[in-house]
């Protein structure tokens, strides 16, 4: 049975309706996020506070509205996390019908894998990289220098690093997807191992915290993922040729 194509304006109306539904849900989930912002803030401050002496576990604000706007930012981010299953469903419900059956079979596992790897990268940064980096920088200037860390500065650094590590952990998903599309092979990737090491090193030097330990903590999983992706692609190619 052939699919009946919707007119362009019907697609536009459907997109508008789905975006409005996402906006309503985001408003509701962000309100929940604002109501529970205190434990969320305590959780996000923990990597820094664990590296500070008990009597110095404070964040300061230099702008009158800094703490308020930070609370709103936390509420919005919490709202995105809480509403993400609904948002992903809305995206899939809009895009899915336009894909062929084999495209849908490929898309769903990669969306799921991408989500898992992103959160794994953020968790890796939160539980391992941030405590090491914060401890190094807080102890670097002692005893002459006293840290006076602001709310705005801390959360800007925190969110940037969580996002960067989450994005960097997408490397194996991207490589396997490229292989699935026929754009790379395990032989191509194997032949460019040295280039990959240089590229990973340069990328980590640019985006990781500027201490050598944090840089190495970012480089190690990325290279492991690169090698793991090569092996996964190798298995995929063997299965394809065996069919």
């Amino acid at each position: 049975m052939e699919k009946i194509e919707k007119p362009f304006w019907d697609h536009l109306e459907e997109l508008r309706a789905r975006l409005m539904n996402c906006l309503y849900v985001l408003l509701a989930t962000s309100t929940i996020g604002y109501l529970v912002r205190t434990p969320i803030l305590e959780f996000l401050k923990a990597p820094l506070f664990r590296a500070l002496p008990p009597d110095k576990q404070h964040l300061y604000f230099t702008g009158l509205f800094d703490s308020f706007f930070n609370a709103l930012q936390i509420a919005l981010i919490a709202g995105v996390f809480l509403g993400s299953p609904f948002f992903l469903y809305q995206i899939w419900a809009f895009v899915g019908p336009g894909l062929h059956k084999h495209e849908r079979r490929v898309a769903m596992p990669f969306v799921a894998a991408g989500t898992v790897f992103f959160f794994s990268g953020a968790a890796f940064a939160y539980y391992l990289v941030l405590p090491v980096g914060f401890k190094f920088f807080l102890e670097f200037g002692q005893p002459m220098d006293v840290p006076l860390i602001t709310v705005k500065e801390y959360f800007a650094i925190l969110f940037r690093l969580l996002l960067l590590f989450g994005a960097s952990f997408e490397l194996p998903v991207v490589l396997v997807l490229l292989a699935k599309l026929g754009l790379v092979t395990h032989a191509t990737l194997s032949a460019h191992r040295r280039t990959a090491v240089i590229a990973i090193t340069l990328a980590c030097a640019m985006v990781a915290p500027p201490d050598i330990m944090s840089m190495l903590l970012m480089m190690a999983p990325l290279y492991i993922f690169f090698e793991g992706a090569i092996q996964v692609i190798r298995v995929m190619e063997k299965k394809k040729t065996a069919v």
Side-chain angles (χ1 to χ4, degrees):
M1 185 175 179
E2 293 185 1
K3 292 190 293 185
I4 300 175
E5 294 290 337
K6 290 183 180 180
F8 171 77
W9 293 110
D10 287 353
H11 283 295
L12 200 60
E13 179 60 28
E14 181 188 358
L15 177 62
R16 187 197 67 81
R18 293 191 183 280
L19 287 175
M20 291 305 298
N21 289 337
C22 289
L23 187 60
Y24 296 144
V25 170
L26 180 61
L27 181 62
T29 54
S30 295
T31 301
I32 296 172
Y34 185 80
L35 294 175
V36 297
R37 67 190 183 279
T38 301
I40 296 174
L41 285 167
E42 290 176 356
F43 175 77
L44 294 175
K45 292 175 183 177
L48 175 66
F49 283 7
R50 281 195 290 265
L52 286 169
D55 60 328
K56 295 182 180 178
Q57 293 180 356
H58 306 287
L59 288 178
Y60 302 88
F61 59 94
T62 56
L64 182 60
F65 306 110
D66 284 356
S67 288
F68 174 72
F69 283 125
N70 184 66
L72 292 183
Q73 184 182 28
I74 296 297
L76 181 61
I77 293 172
V80 172
F81 276 101
L82 290 173
S84 57
F86 180 81
F87 304 146
L88 290 173
Y89 169 76
Q90 291 296 317
I91 294 171
W92 182 249
F94 181 73
V95 175
L99 300 176
H100 295 292
K101 188 175 180 180
H102 71 280
E103 291 173 331
R104 289 197 293 270
R105 285 201 302 266
V106 170
M108 282 304 293
F110 278 99
V111 170
T115 303
V116 169
F117 273 85
F118 181 86
F119 286 117
S120 298
F124 181 83
Y126 177 88
Y127 288 106
L128 189 58
V129 178
L130 293 180
V132 171
F134 290 155
K135 182 175 176 60
F136 173 83
F137 289 111
L138 287 170
E139 293 178 353
F140 186 78
Q142 291 182 357
M144 295 174 291
D145 301 328
V146 178
L148 191 66
I149 304 166
T150 66
V151 171
K152 189 175 182 179
E153 176 194 13
Y154 174 69
F155 282 99
I157 294 171
L158 177 71
F159 292 141
R160 182 174 72 89
L161 291 178
L162 293 180
L163 181 60
L164 284 172
F165 273 85
S168 67
F169 270 50
E170 299 289 343
L171 176 64
V173 180
V174 172
L175 291 177
V176 174
L177 178 59
L178 291 175
K180 194 75 175 176
L181 297 174
L183 299 177
V184 298
T185 65
H186 88 273
T188 304
L189 295 175
S190 298
H192 290 84
R193 273 191 174 94
R194 186 174 298 178
T195 305
V197 171
I198 295 172
I200 289 172
T201 302
L202 290 175
C204 292
M206 288 188 291
V207 303
D211 64 292
I212 188 65
M213 184 57 69
S214 297
M215 182 178 167
L216 290 174
L217 286 172
M218 189 174 190
M219 286 174 58
L222 287 183
Y223 184 72
I224 292 170
F225 287 150
F226 178 78
E227 291 292 341
I230 291 177
Q231 300 309 315
V232 171
I233 293 168
R234 187 195 300 272
V235 172
M236 286 168 47
E237 290 173 352
K238 285 183 177 179
K239 287 184 178 180
K240 189 175 181 179
T241 54
V243 174

